[in-house]
Amino acid sequence: MSSIKIRKICCIGAGYVGGPTMSVIADKCPDIEVRVVDINKERIAAWNDNDLNNLPIFEPGLDQIISRTRGRNLFFSSDMEKSISYADMIFISVNTPTKTKGLGAGKASDLSWVEASARQVAQYANGHTIVVEKSTLPVRTAQAIKEILKTTIRENQKNETTKTFSVLSNPEFLAEGTAINDLEKPDRVLIGGEDPQAINALVNIYLNWVSSDQIICTNLWSSELSKLAANAFLAQRISSINSISAFCEATGADIKEVAKAIGTDKRIGNQFLSAGPGFGGSCFKKDILNLVYLSGYFGLPEVANYWNQVVLLNTWQQDRIYKIVLEKLFGTVNGKNIAILGFSFKANTNDTRESPAIRISCELLEEGAFLSIYDPKVSIERMKEDFENHSFDNPMIWKMANSIQEALQNADAVLILTAWDEFFGLDWNYLASFMRKPAWIFDTRSVVNREEIKNTGLNLWKLGEGT
Ligand code: NAD
Ligand code: UGA
């Protein structure tokens, strides 16, 4: 089949998806010029910073790719007009958060940024342009994008008749912390579309490093829905194992043993069975809520209720952890020092969006605890913003600690919320000397080995095991 040769790509949105995805495309396709644009000028400046430690996102392996590609065939810019007008293919990789007001508030996705991007594309594009949805979007959004592209052109008719567009869906499945590996060795690449030439053009880009049997082509709506469904299935597994973790605590079963026992069944599989403080991240909750909203919209209330329960269980898991802390500390944390180890929503990322640490910390602050928070990658500015988004009845007292030892100074308890490598194998005998007795370790990520705290005088509560 004849195919359009892509020479210039533009990506709108230089975030956790746009930045790494375009870096890998630039790395694997040296003949293609890739421009990543963003309305956030600070973010673009950070992507262009000579010191690679200042890149706006932390992702293992990203700095090496950036050092190879930036300035060669990868460019970060705020010049929307130029970058869009040059491009043969434009990825829309902007944020699609849950709506906070209006119809569908709290569930439906807010598509303002996608719509704004489509309008920019309609305004600045030249000739034939392939527009690729990279953001996670409600089913049938491609239809809305097509309408916007068509109508905007009609409105500005003069000199615009030569503009044509094909719209594709190409959802991203990378997980933060392993983004580069996920992009370089994806389980599959999903492309939804109607125009065979456009599909072929995108397939040819991926063929530079992905084998053809891993590239799945579907219709637009299957592609959009598959992304939401994949995230819903993954999140459902976490809620399932977390529900069983509570069961273990109640019965004396051990969640790691149970996870192993069920995960060895090939039909179930052993991935994504780690119980923890609930899923965080910018997408699982948002995407399930979106699915819930769409189910309601399409007249499927039972389907909506089914998926909604996954989110409810996740919130319950976070709440029950802070209540256990309270109970173990004699029913009150008022005036007590609590160390929080790990603030990002998972290890190997500086992202805190929907991090369980935020909700749990806020509950403890509300109860009057003093928090000392240590995370290897999350900045104090990020923490401040996260707390500012919550309204507190009590004055909240917290500080960022620069080391584990500093966080544990005079602490009555330490709460481990993220499984950063450096939290494994700690010398608890030494660390116990900094804490005020009786002191507790609350381990929600199974990083502490019971043997390690023997003879330290510390009490240990482990999620899914109990005391
Ligand atoms: P993000 O917030 O990190 O980045 C989005 C960027 O888009 C921001 O920098 C914002 O300034 C920019 N932007 C918004 N409107 C713009 C416009 N009109 N013009 C130019 N720039 C604009 O978001 P993200 O985490 O990269 O997620 C993007 C999309 O990808 C979402 O739909 C998300 O659901 C999906 N997704 C995210 C992940 C992930 O791991 N974060 C994985 C797969 C899919
Ligand atoms: C998730 C999916 O894994 C990606 O495929 C998807 O592309 C992405 O969402 C998205 O659409 O944004 P991400 O949220 O970055 O990726 O990270 P995950 O590894 O999925 O972890 C999500 C949350 O679940 C984290 O808080 C993590 O700690 C938690 N989790 C994960 C568990 O509690 N237990 C597990 O076994 C696995």
Side-chain angles (χ1 to χ4, degrees), residues 26 31 41 57 80 108 124 132 165 171-172 190 221 225 260 262-264 292 299 310 315 317 323 399 402 430 441 458:
D31 298 339
K41 291 202 165 76
I57 68 173
M80 219 73 73
Y124 300 132
V132 185
F165 297 97
E172 185 46 62
L190 179 57
W221 324 126
L225 180 57
K260 186 170 180 191
I262 59 176
T264 41
V292 169
V310 172
T315 310
Q317 179 80 344
K323 285 177 187 158
K399 70 174 176 100
N402 291 311
Y430 171 68
I441 304 175
L458 296 171

Side-chain angles (χ1 to χ4, degrees), residues 106-251:
K107 286 202 173 75
S109 287
D110 186 344
L111 297 180
S112 320
W113 293 271
V114 174
E115 186 175 332
S117 304
R119 288 183 194 282
Q120 286 162 330
V121 172
Q123 192 180 354
Y124 300 132
N126 271 317
H128 184 66
T129 309
I130 299 170
V131 178
V132 185
E133 298 174 343
K134 196 45 136 172
S135 297
T136 304
L137 296 168
V139 191
R140 302 200 72 85
T141 303
Q143 191 55 41
I145 293 180
K146 284 186 201 173
E147 289 292 323
I148 292 168
L149 293 172
K150 242 194 307 181
T151 328
T152 315
I153 294 173
R154 230 182 283 131
E155 275 172 9
N156 307 315
Q157 260 197 351
K158 283 171 261 138
N159 308 324
E160 306 272 15
T161 43
T162 53
K163 287 188 190 183
T164 51
F165 297 97
S166 289
V167 178
L168 299 178
S169 157
N170 172 221
E172 185 46 62
F173 294 101
L174 69 80
E176 288 176 32
T178 53
I180 300 304
N181 189 57
D182 296 341
L183 287 162
E184 290 182 338
K185 298 186 198 92
D187 287 346
R188 79 308 207 179
V189 165
L190 179 57
I191 299 174
E194 288 155 352
D195 172 358
Q197 281 203 341
I199 295 172
N200 218 23
L202 185 53
V203 167
N204 282 337
I205 291 175
Y206 282 109
L207 281 178
N208 283 294
W209 76 99
V210 181
S211 75
S212 57
D213 55 349
Q214 286 172 302
I215 302 177
I216 303 172
C217 294
T218 66
N219 76 32
L220 275 168
W221 324 126
S222 303
S223 174
E224 289 177 335
L225 180 57
S226 298
K227 173 62 197 179
L228 292 181
N231 272 0
F233 271 58
L234 289 167
Q236 179 205 42
R237 262 176 96 86
I238 300 170
S239 281
S240 297
I241 199 71
N242 284 342
S243 74
I244 301 297
S245 74
F247 224 103
C248 288
E249 290 158 31
T251 57

Side-chain angles (χ1 to χ4, degrees), residues 15-17 38-39 43 95-96 113 136 172 176 286 353:
Y16 282 86
V17 169
D38 205 293
I39 37 172
R43 215 167 203 187
N95 37 321
T96 50
W113 293 271
T136 304
E172 185 46 62
E176 288 176 32
K286 144 179 103 66
R353 290 177 291 180

